Amino acid sequence: MNIHGTPTRTIRPLPDFAGVEIIDQTLLPHRLEFRPLRTLDDAAEAIAVMRVRGAPLIGVTAAYGLALGLADEAHDATLETGCARLLATRPTAVNLRWALERMQGVLVPLPAAQRRGAAWREAAAIADEDVALNQAIGRHGMALLRACHERRARTVQVMTHCNAGWLATVDWGTALAPIYAAFDAGIPVHVWVSETRPRNQGASLTAWELAQHGVPHTVIADNAAGHLMQHGQVDLVIVGADRVAANGDVANKIGTYMKALAAHDNGVPFHVAVPGPTIDWRLADGTGIPIEERAAAEVTHIPGATEDDGVTSVRLTPPQSAAANPAFDVTPARLVHSIVTERGVCPATAAGLAALYPHGARA
Ligand code: MRU
């Protein structure tokens, strides 16, 4: 992704294993600020308070965070406590567990003195692979947009929810990768960006990164989605996911399920774009996916820009009103038209996923 014309990843190592640099996403779209993470605790804090967020980027940050927690001699106990600390930060995105298990798989067999260097190399490999996976999702997903453009001979109207773009990954994004690929290939595309209360990842992050890339888009209140679909203003919906069960049930940002219902009722194809590490082969269906409950303050308050370019938070609700904040929901596979992966596009069924990932399905 180009930021002010410079290719930029959302996370990058600092020289001499001194740390990694991230974009503090809690400040966007008001301020673009890079922030160093120098310890495992810095990484855990950044994930927990959502300075970094989005399933793939959470996994990559945890991998680097583990590397940051290892001294020159890294003993088994250090590895175990580091993984446990990072794993506890956020429960729903399975990429976190996937990345930490991959790190452990590489590090545990090594002598203690070799683990630190290997951890940095493996974290970098996970980051590089994320970029390649998302580019492949972009190629496969672009075919859906191209087909729609050829069929309708006009601008393709895509709706998305939350932020499954560049900012949710190391580069390109998952749900937004096909949109960037289509835009770059000259396919006319316009994106309906649903704001995604309570944290507004759509209004704050998706809108910001689409604007950086020059992709035409319009922000809508979450509640406007059904109306737009009912009036023929949406050709397809494409969202990301934080965890997909082996049968194609999809956990994604709260509000995804309602969009899928509206899409189903109006005959609008509803696609979910995910890289392989977001599929949880240990879960037969979505009923076992842990749903994160976040702080009520994310519902009762909202951040915004001040006159002097600061970022502040204001209260929306009466002080005596309670608020609940389930952060994800599960969309049943029957409402999902297709799953777009780095290996191709498949139906949201156990057989569809297993055909693309024969090894995963046997895991
Ligand atoms: O709570 P977040 O912002 O970490 O939620 C993750 C998301 O942005 C979405 O649910 C997204 O669609 C999946 S991550 C590519």
Side-chain angles (χ1 to χ4, degrees):
M1 178 68 56
N2 287 340
I3 297 296
H4 307 313
T6 309
T8 311
R9 285 184 171 192
T10 56
I11 187 165
R12 49 196 185 199
L14 295 168
D16 302 327
F17 305 137
V20 291
E21 192 171 62
I22 58 149
I23 293 170
D24 186 346
Q25 298 190 24
T26 62
L27 301 176
L28 287 172
H30 312 297
R31 231 164 52 213
L32 173 63
E33 207 170 282
F34 293 88
R35 180 185 177 98
L37 308 178
R38 299 192 189 282
T39 64
L40 183 147
D41 277 343
D42 287 349
E45 189 264 358
I47 297 170
V49 307
M50 297 175 61
R51 298 185 199 286
V52 287
R53 31 120 339 256
L57 184 57
I58 289 171
V60 173
T61 307
Y64 276 121
L66 188 64
L68 284 167
L70 302 184
D72 287 342
E73 290 274 320
H75 299 289
D76 287 356
T78 317
L79 262 181
E80 269 168 42
T81 51
C83 284
R85 166 100 176 85
L86 290 159
L87 192 60
T89 51
R90 295 201 68 192
T92 303
V94 74
N95 305 59
L96 176 61
R97 183 188 80 199
W98 172 86
L100 290 170
E101 287 183 352
R102 173 164 158 174
M103 294 291 285
Q104 280 175 303
V106 169
L107 301 179
V108 169
L110 296 177
Q114 289 177 21
R115 287 175 172 170
R116 185 161 178 262
W120 279 95
R121 284 192 296 279
E122 195 61 17
I126 292 173
D128 288 344
E129 283 171 33
D130 181 63
V131 179
L133 293 178
N134 298 332
Q135 283 177 316
I137 289 172
R139 281 193 299 277
H140 293 298
M142 179 176 67
L144 298 170
L145 275 71
R146 190 187 291 286
C148 182
H149 175 56
E150 285 169 0
R151 212 170 41 248
R152 298 188 188 257
R154 59 158 171 76
T155 297
V156 183
Q157 299 288 342
V158 185
M159 181 177 285
T160 193
H161 186 59
C162 197
N163 173 262
W166 167 67
L167 287 163
T169 64
V170 178
D171 209 346
W172 293 109
T174 55
L176 296 195
I179 293 170
Y180 289 130
F183 177 80
D184 290 349
I187 298 169
V189 57
H190 167 264
V191 187
W192 295 109
V193 177
S194 69
E195 59 178 347
T196 318
R197 279 282 291 148
R199 285 201 58 128
N200 293 308
Q201 290 95 327
S204 302
L205 305 178
T206 298
W208 182 80
E209 62 165 273
L210 289 173
Q212 291 293 320
H213 203 85
V215 179
H217 62 281
T218 305
V219 178
I220 53 164
D222 294 323
N223 295 336
H227 170 80
L228 291 174
M229 291 189 219
Q230 211 173 36
H231 288 80
Q233 295 188 65
V234 183
D235 294 321
L236 57 104
V237 180
I238 182 160
V239 299
D242 296 84
R243 192 183 300 225
V244 172
N247 72 337
D249 287 350
V250 171
N252 193 48
K253 183 53 56 189
I254 194 77
T256 302
Y257 174 46
M258 292 203 311
K259 285 202 168 49
L261 285 171
H264 186 71
D265 194 44
N266 291 287
V268 175
F270 185 91
H271 303 284
V272 179
V274 289
T278 302
I279 304 168
D280 186 350
W281 299 104
R282 295 177 206 169
L283 288 182
D285 61 47
T287 54
I289 298 177
I291 300 297
E292 179 177 17
E293 182 77 30
R294 290 190 63 86
E298 293 182 352
V299 176
T300 58
H301 289 67
I302 193 160
T306 57
E307 293 293 317
D308 58 353
D309 279 348
V311 179
T312 192
S313 169
V314 295
R315 173 180 275 283
L316 288 170
T317 57
Q320 58 274 44
S321 297
N325 188 8
F328 299 92
D329 57 29
V330 175
T331 298
R334 69 185 160 78
L335 299 177
V336 178
H337 194 90
S338 78
I339 299 192
V340 183
T341 77
E342 74 279 4
R343 297 190 180 189
V345 180
C346 72
T349 60
L353 285 168
L356 289 184
Y357 298 91
H359 294 298
R362 283 200 297 274

